[in-house]
Amino acid sequence: MRALVVGAGIGGLVAARALQKAGLEVLVLEAHTYPGGLAGTFTHRGHRLDAGATLLSGFAPEGPMALIAEALEVRFPVEPLPEGFPLLEVHLPRGRVVRPVGREAEREAQRDFFGPEVLPFWRWQEERAKALLRLAPRLPWPPEREELPRLLALVPELLPLLPDLFLKAVHRAPQDPHFLRFLDAQLLIASQAEAGRTYALYAALALDLPHMGSALAPEGVGRVAEALAEGLPVRYKARAERLLLREGRAFAVEVAYGGRRRGEREVVEADLFVLDVPLAPLLGLPLKAPKDAWGAFVVHGVLPFRAPPPYFRQNAREKPFAFLSLRPEGEKTAFALSLHTPLALWEGLSREEYGRLKARWGEMALRLGEALLPGLREAEFLLFGTPRTYARFAGRAWVGGYPQTHPFRFPRVRPFPNVFRVGEGVFPGQSVPAAALSGLRAARLALEALGLAGSEGEARPSFPPSP
């Protein structure tokens, strides 16, 4: 029995390892030269730079990444951050607030900056986040037919959470304009939507990021994907171009190779397929961005000095909010500086217009970044990425999957009987832990369809338990 995984992103790699562990023959196709996709790390001038995701979490005991590490027998080369570590610093019009690791330290920092009126919000947030973390590895959404009993069994746990499925985050928050600006800035990173549009339940979980087992990857976020890819047969520079169907089922993928095999094409057959890439282009259909999706303008570079923590800083004093990620490399510091940008701004431009717009946004990004870390312009080199860059690299111009305005916009995981989608384009959405959980769910569904899972949906070998 052969499984073909298209895309070596986090979701695809988790699914591949789970299927391989269950005894299937697995092959992974990856269009680029390294694993991870937008959670990967590329090399430029001898330095490792993160392609997209920079902030890792979920590694606490019983957290999503810890469960996956145990289930798949993989060791992630990350360094957990201790309680009280200053994880993230947010610059607001009236000053700076630090988000430390640990809920007690966070509440103290929030009270000192915003006042005691924000504490009920953080108590609500903690309660909802803990409930969702217990549910996350078991929650099938939207459910496939065979998952309906699993979903129904979770109803008693879901019922208390339902009001926050329909409320927006802003409705749970104190109406202090400074606190609302803080929420907008944080949720744009985690949910691709501001507090007035992010549904409250997702906001509670997204805001828990510092307390879910935050960790640093000394050589870049891509080390997580590299650990997952170890021992898997991965063909790099292998771009899947078409999913071939027969009588409503997939039977093969057309592949075009690059690198040393440039110009070669092959039809790769398999019994089941996991897609960590958008489905539409594989069916010959245009890929449409969500109307409310954001693009990203990113600056990568390496500084000739070692920057101190916090290693994550956000300039929310003015829009567009700028997010700076720092990673020390000996006596130097690799960084990524990102800004949300409207997709329409970058469409239909001539080469000259595109060059001028890119230069203007580059200058604005560095100005906003200098407010977070003076000396940013001293970088040994600067690389600039736009939505056009992401369209070339990732196959789509927008970032973060679907903005988390409600959970009903996510597509089915199984578009065809033997095809399963994973990654940030399916529930629960963006982030490394979310993509990893999507891979585990796809593998479980595939193994159940093949009769290689127990009656309760626990695949052999072990997975995080299903109800």
Side-chain angles (χ1 to χ4, degrees):
M1 188 67 65
R2 189 185 210 194
L4 186 64
V5 178
V6 180
I10 297 295
L13 292 170
V14 166
R17 282 189 76 99
L19 294 171
Q20 185 187 65
K21 196 166 186 280
L24 275 66
E25 177 191 353
V26 173
L27 174 64
V28 182
L29 303 177
E30 170 54 48
H32 298 287
T33 57
Y34 56 87
L38 291 178
T41 301
F42 65 95
T43 302
H44 182 77
R45 296 188 187 179
H47 297 281
R48 287 171 61 89
L49 305 172
D50 291 329
T54 56
L55 211 170
L56 286 172
S57 190
F59 293 90
E62 303 304 315
M65 300 307 293
L67 291 173
I68 285 166
E70 180 181 359
L72 301 183
E73 299 176 356
V74 60
R75 181 183 175 277
F76 294 120
V78 300
E79 298 175 358
L81 295 174
E83 293 271 327
F85 186 88
L87 181 70
L88 194 155
E89 182 180 72
V90 183
H91 293 222
L92 293 163
R94 77 176 195 191
R96 306 176 186 180
V97 58
V98 172
R99 298 200 65 193
V101 175
R103 291 190 176 89
E104 191 60 42
E106 166 114 91
R107 279 194 291 269
E108 184 176 335
Q110 290 284 314
R111 184 191 62 228
D112 290 347
F113 190 85
F114 294 109
E117 58 270 21
V118 301
L119 295 181
F121 173 86
W122 289 107
R123 285 193 290 270
W124 164 83
Q125 178 274 329
E126 178 181 353
E127 178 186 305
R128 290 294 185 261
K130 286 181 175 179
L132 280 172
L133 282 170
R134 289 192 296 270
L135 283 167
R138 302 174 287 146
L139 183 60
W141 186 263
E144 297 296 323
R145 184 177 60 184
E146 60 269 44
E147 292 178 312
L148 283 172
R150 202 171 291 157
L151 182 62
L152 291 173
L154 294 176
V155 166
E157 294 178 70
L158 289 169
L159 280 176
L161 308 178
L162 285 183
D164 291 315
L165 202 60
F166 301 99
L167 290 174
K168 300 302 182 184
V170 70
H171 298 137
R172 287 293 191 181
Q175 299 305 295
D176 173 353
H178 296 284
F179 185 71
L180 292 177
R181 191 176 187 89
F182 166 82
L183 283 187
D184 283 344
Q186 291 291 281
L187 291 174
L188 264 178
I189 299 171
S191 70
Q192 303 302 318
E194 294 180 332
R197 298 186 63 245
T198 302
Y199 69 99
L201 203 54
Y202 186 85
L205 188 59
L207 292 169
D208 211 51
L209 187 144
H211 319 308
M212 292 167 52
S214 297
L216 297 178
E219 296 180 358
V221 166
R223 291 294 290 125
V224 172
E226 291 161 15
L228 287 167
E230 190 173 335
L232 287 173
V234 183
R235 291 184 191 173
Y236 294 103
K237 295 190 176 182
R239 184 179 300 277
E241 294 194 337
R242 185 64 63 93
L243 181 68
L244 302 180
L245 304 174
R246 182 190 296 136
E247 298 180 353
R249 296 176 64 89
F251 69 91
V253 167
E254 290 183 359
V255 182
Y257 291 99
R260 295 179 180 177
R261 298 184 64 179
R262 183 178 299 278
E264 291 186 36
R265 303 183 68 85
E266 183 182 10
V267 173
V268 181
E269 296 186 356
D271 301 289
L272 63 88
F273 300 80
V274 175
L275 305 182
D276 199 356
V277 296
L279 175 62
L282 294 179
L283 300 177
L285 302 173
L287 182 62
K288 297 180 180 179
K291 291 182 179 180
D292 55 348
W294 285 97
F297 185 90
V298 181
V299 184
H300 293 285
V302 172
L303 300 169
F305 57 87
R306 185 180 178 92
Y311 296 130
F312 303 96
R313 309 179 188 190
Q314 188 176 31
N315 188 341
R317 288 175 176 157
E318 59 181 287
K319 291 186 177 181
F321 301 146
F323 185 68
L324 177 64
S325 302
L326 304 165
R327 192 184 74 252
E329 285 188 341
E331 295 306 310
K332 299 183 179 183
T333 305
F335 75 86
L337 175 65
S338 62
L339 286 69
H340 282 78
T341 182
L343 291 171
L345 193 64
W346 300 88
E347 296 171 354
L349 301 177
S350 67
R351 178 175 294 184
E352 293 75 18
E353 291 170 330
Y354 174 70
R356 288 195 295 271
L357 184 62
K358 187 176 180 180
R360 189 160 68 246
W361 272 75
E363 178 58 33
M364 177 172 60
L366 289 172
R367 177 179 62 81
L368 294 170
E370 281 276 349
L372 297 170
L373 182 65
L376 210 61
R377 294 178 188 270
E378 299 173 20
E380 295 179 4
F381 61 84
L382 294 170
L383 296 176
F384 298 92
T386 74
R388 286 192 179 187
T389 312
Y390 281 97
R392 261 194 332 270
F393 169 77
R396 56 180 171 82
W398 71 94
V399 294
Y402 291 95
Q404 295 280 356
T405 55
H406 59 78
F408 304 105
R409 65 189 307 179
F410 287 96
R412 289 183 56 192
V413 169
R414 179 190 273 173
F416 301 101
N418 62 335
V419 177
F420 304 88
R421 286 190 274 214
V422 300
E424 63 184 10
V426 299
F427 185 83
Q430 77 171 74
S431 83
V432 169
L437 288 175
S438 76
L440 211 58
R441 179 187 174 194
R444 181 183 290 124
L445 281 168
L447 293 173
E448 286 177 353
L450 296 172
L452 296 175
S455 60
E456 294 184 341
E458 186 175 349
R460 297 187 296 267
S462 63
F463 281 90
S466 295

